[in-house]
Amino acid sequence: LSLGANVLNLAVVGAWGGGAIYAGLRSVLGEHSRGSLFAAVLASYLSVLLAAGVFCGEFALSVGTVPFD
């Protein structure tokens, strides 16, 4: 069960979310190197925050399902 949550957070939300953010920013900022660099930096930062937010939501939904010893 924990492997599925890790795959969801790291592979799906982190990679695909970061790729989607990068593609969106790149189309807005243009194809030049400075816009591409800024889009990559911002997308990588936001993908980590997005994955952490999804984890917090999963953790909030799982409270009380398994006793925490």
Side-chain angles (χ1 to χ4, degrees):
L1 186 63
S2 65
L3 180 62
N6 284 329
V7 168
L8 175 71
N9 289 334
L10 295 174
V12 176
V13 175
W16 288 358
I21 293 169
Y22 175 75
L25 286 173
R26 184 102 189 255
S27 68
V28 170
L29 296 174
E31 299 292 325
H32 54 85
S33 62
R34 186 169 289 182
S36 179
L37 178 65
F38 181 74
V41 169
L42 191 59
S44 63
Y45 177 75
L46 292 176
S47 71
V48 172
L49 291 179
L50 185 63
V54 170
F55 165 75
C56 290
E58 291 170 351
F59 190 69
L61 291 174
S62 70
V63 172
T65 57
V66 177
F68 185 72
D69 293 331

